[in-house]
Amino acid sequence: MTKTIAIFGSAFNPPSLGHKSVLERLKHFDQVLLLPSFAHAWGKVMLDYSARCELVEAFISDIGQKNLTLSRLEEEMAVGDESITTYAVLVELQKRNPKASLTFVVGPDNFLKFSQFYQAEQILSKWQVLACPETVNIRSTVIRDKIVKNSDVSHLTTPKVATLLSEEKRFMFR
């Protein structure tokens, strides 16, 4: 039987309940890789990569969904601060998992821009692409805005992520 792997790439800047609502619908995959962007392709300003990975680990721990794994593949592939394309990630993952069936999960923000992805047609011809919008409309932008205003974010993300964001100065979005 072929292993099924879903790849959910995002800035995770920070992880939100919107992200969680997508992940809850991916339980049928053998493995779901949460893949934080190392450097954003469209120049989005983000928290430090290691800090975002720490938030994703806390997020995974809170959710408790057995098939979730943090993937630092983009960091491994990175050359300087250049962004890593989805196509390059999928090629590398397929090399590492030659018999696996890969599915790239696209959120609502990237679904509308998918044609702008590098090698979009190649991606569609070689792998599955699953458009999976969140069912809980909570975006990372809202969390960042609330943090800047020193407002509570516990209702917007998971408990451990909310605690890290409220207690740790290195997670500041100012």
Side-chain angles (χ1 to χ4, degrees):
M1 189 163 168
T2 304
K3 181 177 182 179
T4 59
I5 301 173
I7 301 94
F8 184 43
S10 177
F12 294 110
N13 191 40
S16 71
L17 293 181
H19 290 115
K20 181 179 182 244
S21 73
V22 171
L23 296 170
E24 289 171 337
R25 293 179 310 181
L26 303 177
K27 292 179 180 179
H28 61 286
F29 287 93
D30 295 319
Q31 185 175 30
V32 178
L33 301 177
L34 279 67
L35 187 76
S37 304
F38 185 74
H40 203 274
W42 293 309
K44 182 188 283 187
V45 177
M46 302 179 290
L47 279 174
D48 173 73
Y49 181 77
S50 293
R52 287 182 292 116
C53 286
E54 185 177 344
L55 291 170
V56 170
E57 287 175 335
F59 187 64
I60 289 170
S61 173
D62 278 339
I63 294 172
Q65 189 172 314
K66 303 280 188 238
N67 65 346
L68 302 180
T69 306
L70 168 66
S71 172
R72 294 182 77 135
L73 179 61
E74 286 199 18
E75 178 181 42
E76 294 173 32
M77 295 173 65
V79 177
D81 287 337
E82 289 183 26
S83 61
I84 311 296
T85 67
T86 297
Y87 180 76
V89 166
L90 291 170
V91 166
E92 182 60 29
L93 281 171
Q94 197 70 77
K95 281 183 196 171
R96 294 180 183 199
N97 303 278
K99 295 183 180 182
S101 172
L102 303 182
T103 300
F104 179 62
V105 179
V106 181
D109 48 348
N110 286 325
F111 176 69
L112 297 174
K113 298 183 210 172
F114 190 74
S115 64
Q116 297 173 27
F117 278 47
Y118 176 73
Q119 298 285 3
E121 289 184 24
Q122 286 282 72
I123 292 169
L124 291 170
S125 70
K126 293 182 179 190
W127 299 285
Q128 299 294 317
V129 176
L130 175 63
C132 197
E134 71 265 355
T135 56
V136 174
N137 190 18
I138 296 176
R139 310 302 300 264
S140 298
T141 306
V142 174
I143 297 172
R144 291 192 305 272
D145 290 346
K146 291 218 178 257
I147 289 170
V148 167
K149 295 173 184 168
N150 291 317
S151 298
D152 178 47
V153 297
S154 62
H155 60 294
L156 303 172
T157 189
T158 63
K160 289 179 185 171
V161 173
T163 298
L164 284 170
L165 291 171
S166 67
E167 294 178 356
E168 299 282 338
K169 295 293 181 205
R170 63 200 158 99
F171 297 113
M172 292 320 231
F173 293 95
R174 293 179 171 88

